[in-house]
Amino acid sequence: STNEVVSEISGRGVGMDVVKKNIEKLRGKVEIRSITQKGTTFILQIPLTLAILDGILFRSGGMLCSIPTTDIIEFHKPEEHQITTTSANQQVLKLREEIIPLVKLSDFFDLTTGTSEYTEGILIIATAYEKTIAILVDEIIGNRQFVIKALPEYLKGVKAVSGCSILGGGDVCLVVDTGAFITQVLE
């Protein structure tokens, strides 16, 4: 309880154990990350049984993915002079006086194919948790509405993916969890 004085109603909130048990009943999970003197982050992952998402469909290294349109700021075809390597060996994009970290989606997912040069592909400038990142992909296919399903158990370990969708032609599209993606890249 945050009350300074204990009373008969203080401390009557729902405990995290109850929250955790109820989320686990839904096949979800609760993750708690604490950093001393900085704070605690509670991540509640609730499976998507059937949801509809407006997103951008794109291809990277032969893999089809989507990102929710609400997380996308813009698309950008970079020029070589806009890309710089920092002293920490991280590539960044200078876009309208803003410095944005760059990441190749094919490298993040350890794909053997995909655009290798930033100037050859297209950048998706995305945001989550008040942070911005530029994601290099091979091609933008277009805007779609996706029926999202939870990942099957054997794909639960795939990082920064919140679900999948089966497209009209039978192809599977992975839905990138922009927040988890940015958190993992910038850690």
Side-chain angles (χ1 to χ4, degrees), residues 48 51-58 63-69 71 109 146-151 158-167 172-178 180-181:
L48 301 169
I52 296 178
L53 166 82
D54 285 325
I56 297 298
L57 180 65
F58 59 90
M63 183 171 75
L64 288 171
C65 296
S66 70
I67 289 181
T69 54
D71 294 343
F109 286 119
F146 301 94
V147 176
I148 308 298
K149 299 185 103 173
L151 289 174
V158 177
K159 57 187 176 180
V161 173
S162 60
C164 62
S165 182
I166 299 174
L167 304 176
V172 175
C173 166
L174 298 179
V175 179
V176 175
D177 179 340
T178 313
F181 183 83

Side-chain angles (χ1 to χ4, degrees), residues 117-163:
E117 296 298 322
Y118 288 106
T119 54
E120 293 174 6
I122 188 87
L123 294 174
I124 299 174
I125 313 298
T127 185
Y129 305 133
E130 299 178 4
K131 295 179 182 171
T132 303
I133 196 162
I135 305 166
L136 178 70
V137 301
D138 295 345
E139 71 174 310
I140 304 294
I141 298 170
N143 189 14
R144 301 264 198 308
Q145 279 196 329
F146 301 94
V147 176
I148 308 298
K149 299 185 103 173
L151 289 174
E153 285 299 318
Y154 63 90
L155 290 177
K156 291 289 184 192
V158 177
K159 57 187 176 180
V161 173
S162 60

Side-chain angles (χ1 to χ4, degrees), residues 54-122:
D54 285 325
I56 297 298
L57 180 65
F58 59 90
R59 184 180 313 278
S60 184
M63 183 171 75
L64 288 171
C65 296
S66 70
I67 289 181
T69 54
T70 55
D71 294 343
I72 297 174
I73 298 171
E74 66 180 288
F75 303 101
H76 183 71
K77 182 72 174 165
E79 296 176 19
E80 203 165 310
H81 72 275
Q82 294 178 298
I83 299 170
T84 305
T85 303
T86 67
S87 59
N89 205 27
Q90 166 71 43
Q91 281 74 35
V92 294
L93 171 72
K94 184 175 182 184
L95 183 63
R96 291 183 293 280
E97 305 306 317
E98 185 178 357
I99 303 298
I100 303 169
L102 288 168
V103 65
K104 296 175 185 173
L105 195 71
S106 57
D107 287 352
F108 182 81
F109 286 119
D110 296 322
L111 303 174
T112 56
T113 59
T115 302
S116 60
E117 296 298 322
Y118 288 106
T119 54
E120 293 174 6
I122 188 87

Side-chain angles (χ1 to χ4, degrees), residues 5-59:
V5 179
V6 177
S7 70
E8 61 185 60
I9 61 168
S10 62
R12 298 285 184 212
V14 176
M16 186 53 71
D17 60 329
V18 176
V19 173
K20 184 177 185 242
K21 286 177 187 172
N22 284 319
I23 288 179
E24 286 174 346
K25 283 181 188 175
L26 298 171
R27 290 184 33 231
K29 69 180 185 179
V30 176
E31 187 176 335
I32 302 171
R33 296 181 188 162
S34 292
I35 299 174
T36 305
Q37 300 296 320
K38 289 196 174 187
T40 302
T41 302
F42 295 91
I43 300 168
L44 307 178
Q45 293 180 339
I46 302 169
L48 301 169
T49 53
L50 190 63
I52 296 178
L53 166 82
D54 285 325
I56 297 298
L57 180 65
F58 59 90
R59 184 180 313 278

